[in-house]
């Protein structure tokens, strides 16, 4: 008699453990006390929905369609895989969770969602099993592609891995709000996108240099996000059976934050480049240019200019920053969560 194989249908369809994280877990472990204080208590919950449209409930609530899937007879504006949508009204805003088979994203909005609210916290965990393939881009909850096998192949085929991402800024603190200059706001948010215009880059770089805003920080950070989020992410990842947790360190201060939490570089070559950057920063300080932590991050960014355009005193003579947040090359760092991962992963 023919013996039929046992099929793991959820596995075949890409239903991963992280999408089973509950709303309670996410609220408890990832929404910081400061953010909860800003939002106020949860007052009500809307009926859960399953959506398949790119359009959100309000501006800023949209999702993506990186692989440009065309559904319902070739219509645009729809996504390949639907996503679950949970909406909680709070006293001063809203708490929203979106999840599909490989990722959840939690959003904390300050202000009425019908009246231009501000996003003050965004926290997400994403299963990396499809990275390095086109399937990685099918989730409507990713804004950047992960299909490049050179830059985004998962750490180890025997390990379950999940990537964290976090965003947290105080309401009313955007550079745009203070200056009325959208281009300067965009520069601080994404300085590498200005490298093709070095004169403009340097104009804005000189302005940013003496501020307390690091690259990427177009608004004032919420202080307890840094201390609260890493342990929270790790609790959720462990609870759902993951062996390793990862992040892509966008800037120098992010990489240092990750290191302080026990994360190590995934690539030996990138670890060596980071070490060269630290030597370069030390040489700048030794030459009489004291650097704040914010300035350290900006000094790393400016290394990606043509060498002749790097400002005097800031040239590190070789190393460049490895993640420009434009292409798919990431500065991956990771932290083993299980004995299995610690046995299979050797720090570079």
């Amino acid at each position: 008699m023919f013996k039929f194989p046992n099929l793991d249908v959820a596995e075949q369809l890409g239903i991963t453990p992280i999408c089973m994280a509950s709303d309670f877990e996410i609220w408890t472990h990832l929404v910081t006390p400061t953010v909860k204080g800003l939002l106020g208590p949860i007052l009500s919950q809307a009926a859960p929905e399953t959506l398949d449209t790119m359009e959100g409930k309000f501006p800023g609530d949209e999702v993506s369609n990186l692989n440009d899937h065309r559904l319902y007879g070739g219509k645009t504006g729809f996504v390949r895989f639907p996503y679950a949508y949970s909406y909680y009204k709070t006293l001063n805003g809203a708490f929203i969770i979106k999840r599909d088979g490989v990722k959840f994203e939690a959003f904390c909005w300050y202000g009425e969602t019908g009246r231009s609210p501000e996003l003050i916290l965004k926290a997400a965990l994403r299963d990396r099993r499809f990275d390095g393939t086109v399937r990685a881009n099918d989730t409507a909850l990713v804004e950047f592609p992960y299909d490049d096998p050179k830059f985004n192949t998962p750490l180890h085929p025997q390990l379950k891995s999940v990537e964290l991402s976090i965003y947290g800024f105080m309401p009313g603190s955007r550079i745009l709000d203070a200056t009325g200059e959208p281009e300067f706001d965009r520069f601080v948010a994404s300085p590498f996108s200005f490298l093709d215009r070095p004169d403009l880059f340097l104009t804005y770089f000189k302005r940013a240099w003496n501020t307390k805003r690091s690259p990427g920080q177009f608004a004032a950070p919420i202080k307890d996000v840094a201390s609260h989020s890493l342990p929270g992410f790790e609790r959720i990842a462990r609870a759902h059976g993951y062996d390793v947790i990862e992040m892509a360190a966008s800037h120098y201060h992010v990489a240092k934050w990750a290191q302080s939490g026990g994360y190590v570089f995934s690539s030996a070559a990138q670890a060596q480049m980071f070490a060269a950057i630290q030597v370069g920063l030390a040489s700048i300080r030794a030459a009489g240019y004291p650097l704040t932590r914010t300035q350290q991050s900006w000094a790393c960014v400016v290394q990606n200019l043509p060498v002749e355009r790097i400002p005097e005193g800031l040239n590190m003579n070789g190393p460049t920053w490895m993640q420009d947040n434009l292409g798919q090359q990431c500065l991956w760092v990771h932290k083993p969560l299980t004995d299995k991962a610690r046995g299979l992963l050797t720090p570079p």
Side-chain angles (χ1 to χ4, degrees):
M1 180 178 178
F2 180 78
K3 184 178 180 180
F4 287 94
N6 292 322
L7 299 179
D8 188 337
V9 176
E11 178 79 17
Q12 283 187 288
L13 296 179
I15 306 301
T16 69
I18 200 57
C19 72
M20 301 300 178
S22 69
D23 293 2
F24 174 79
E25 287 178 281
I26 296 168
W27 175 261
T28 301
H29 297 309
L30 297 183
V31 182
T32 73
T34 297
V35 175
K36 288 175 180 172
L38 289 166
L39 290 182
I42 295 174
L43 303 180
S44 62
Q45 177 187 10
E49 297 181 76
T50 301
L51 305 177
D52 64 356
T53 58
M54 293 175 63
E55 184 179 10
K57 302 288 186 180
F58 53 90
D61 190 48
E62 303 85 4
V63 297
S64 68
N65 183 4
L66 294 180
N67 284 340
D68 193 27
H69 290 289
R70 306 297 180 96
L71 304 183
Y72 306 110
K75 294 181 180 178
T76 60
F78 294 91
V79 297
R80 181 182 182 192
F81 295 120
Y83 56 98
Y85 190 99
S86 300
Y87 181 99
Y88 297 88
K89 178 175 175 53
T90 72
L91 181 63
N92 301 315
F95 174 55
I96 295 171
I97 299 174
K98 301 174 187 177
R99 53 166 65 80
D100 63 8
V102 298
K103 184 176 183 180
F104 75 72
E105 283 187 312
F107 304 84
C108 295
W109 292 91
Y110 183 77
E112 292 292 333
T113 53
R115 298 182 180 180
S116 301
E118 286 190 71
L119 181 62
I120 60 173
L121 183 73
K122 177 181 177 182
L125 282 170
R126 184 183 67 89
D127 192 297
R128 291 200 64 208
R129 69 184 58 194
F130 298 119
D131 281 21
T133 73
V134 176
R135 174 71 183 275
N137 302 337
D138 279 343
T139 171
L141 307 181
V142 294
E143 299 173 2
F144 298 98
Y146 291 91
D147 59 291
D148 191 303
K150 178 181 178 181
F151 296 129
N152 291 312
T153 297
L155 266 178
H156 197 286
Q158 296 178 36
L159 298 178
K160 292 181 179 179
S161 177
V162 67
E163 178 202 7
L164 72 86
S165 56
I166 185 73
Y167 161 118
F169 294 118
M170 291 296 294
S173 67
R174 281 197 70 146
I175 287 173
L176 177 61
D177 297 330
T179 66
E181 298 179 56
E183 190 171 63
F184 184 50
D185 185 271
R186 288 195 297 272
F187 171 79
V188 175
S190 182
F192 293 105
S193 65
F194 285 71
L195 288 172
D196 60 341
R197 293 160 286 171
D199 290 334
L200 183 60
F201 177 97
L202 287 168
T203 296
Y204 288 143
F205 173 83
K206 291 172 184 176
R207 290 181 60 184
W209 182 255
N210 291 315
T211 70
K212 293 183 178 180
R213 299 288 172 83
S214 298
Q217 293 180 346
F218 55 82
I222 295 175
K223 297 298 184 183
D224 63 356
V225 167
S227 60
H228 191 93
S229 59
L230 290 185
F233 281 125
E234 291 161 22
R235 287 190 193 99
I236 294 174
R238 283 192 182 96
H240 293 275
Y242 284 89
D243 299 300
V244 61
I245 188 167
E246 303 183 68
M247 76 169 91
S250 55
H251 294 286
Y252 179 79
H253 61 283
V254 179
K256 294 294 288 183
W257 171 60
Q259 285 186 315
S260 72
Y263 288 70
V264 297
F265 294 104
S266 301
S267 159
Q270 289 186 334
Q272 291 170 3
M273 183 72 82
F274 190 81
I277 285 171
Q278 292 192 292
V279 170
L281 289 171
S283 68
I284 291 170
R285 290 192 293 269
Y289 295 88
L291 300 173
T292 65
R293 174 58 65 84
T294 295
Q295 289 172 339
Q296 290 173 20
S297 288
W298 281 113
C300 292
V301 171
V302 83
Q303 302 310 306
N304 290 44
L305 277 177
V307 64
E308 67 275 9
R309 303 305 303 272
I310 297 175
E312 182 180 358
L314 296 182
N315 189 353
M316 297 185 193
N317 298 310
T320 56
W321 191 248
M322 295 148 280
Q323 178 172 325
D324 62 11
N325 308 301
L326 301 173
Q328 288 200 44
Q329 180 169 339
C330 294
L331 178 54
W332 285 111
V333 297
H334 69 271
K335 182 176 182 178
L337 299 177
T338 63
D339 290 338
K340 180 180 179 181
R342 283 183 281 271
L344 291 173
L345 298 175
T346 302

